[in-house]
Amino acid sequence: QVQLVESGGGLVQAGGSLRLSCVVSGRTFSSYNMGWFRQAPGKERNFVAFVNSSGGGTRYADSVEGRFTISRDNAKNTVYLQMNSLKPEDTAVYYCAAQPLVKLLSGGYRSLTAYDYWGQGTQVTVSS
């Protein structure tokens, strides 16, 4: 079983920055693509960002393009989400998720069902 633990959430002012981290258990972190999703109260969980297993390929939701950066450090079994120019509409619980490489071609990277493992989430609140 793979375990994921997010951290770094908190309360920030609009225009501020925050960096989320997700530590993945085990020795096979490099065999997973990684994604970040977010869910606001009463709304569905939506795709935010994706990074492939090597870190060389990234994808972003239109709503965060140019403001958020996803990266990974395979030596530390950690994926990051650097969030800049935060807006109140970024307020949500943020989740990291792990995707076995074999599922990318069949499921893509935007769908919840394309990921097999999920963290517990970390709250990000952006005040206006």
Side-chain angles (χ1 to χ4, degrees):
Q1 183 75 301
V2 177
Q3 292 181 308
L4 293 73
V5 180
E6 302 98 332
S7 63
L11 175 63
V12 298
Q13 297 181 29
S17 297
L18 204 61
R19 188 178 77 158
L20 307 183
S21 300
C22 176
V23 178
V24 182
S25 67
R27 301 184 300 273
T28 59
F29 176 65
S30 61
S31 68
Y32 292 93
N33 301 321
M34 298 295 298
W36 284 98
F37 292 74
R38 65 187 182 185
Q39 186 170 22
K43 302 182 68 176
E44 65 181 8
R45 191 173 300 184
N46 291 324
F47 168 77
V48 175
F50 167 91
V51 61
N52 69 359
S53 60
S54 70
T58 59
R59 298 290 186 272
Y60 299 93
D62 290 344
S63 58
V64 307
E65 181 73 46
R67 299 188 298 120
F68 291 11
T69 302
I70 187 172
S71 62
R72 66 192 296 160
D73 186 340
N74 286 350
K76 295 182 177 180
N77 284 17
T78 302
V79 62
Y80 304 95
L81 186 68
Q82 178 66 49
M83 305 184 294
N84 299 325
S85 301
L86 282 163
K87 306 174 180 179
E89 50 263 45
D90 295 319
T91 296
V93 176
Y94 283 70
Y95 300 87
C96 66
Q99 176 190 67
L101 302 184
V102 70
K103 295 191 70 174
L104 177 62
L105 292 180
S106 59
Y109 57 85
R110 295 180 176 271
S111 174
L112 301 177
T113 61
Y115 297 81
D116 285 357
Y117 306 100
W118 293 83
Q120 83 288 350
T122 184
Q123 176 71 49
V124 172
T125 303
V126 184
S127 62
S128 60

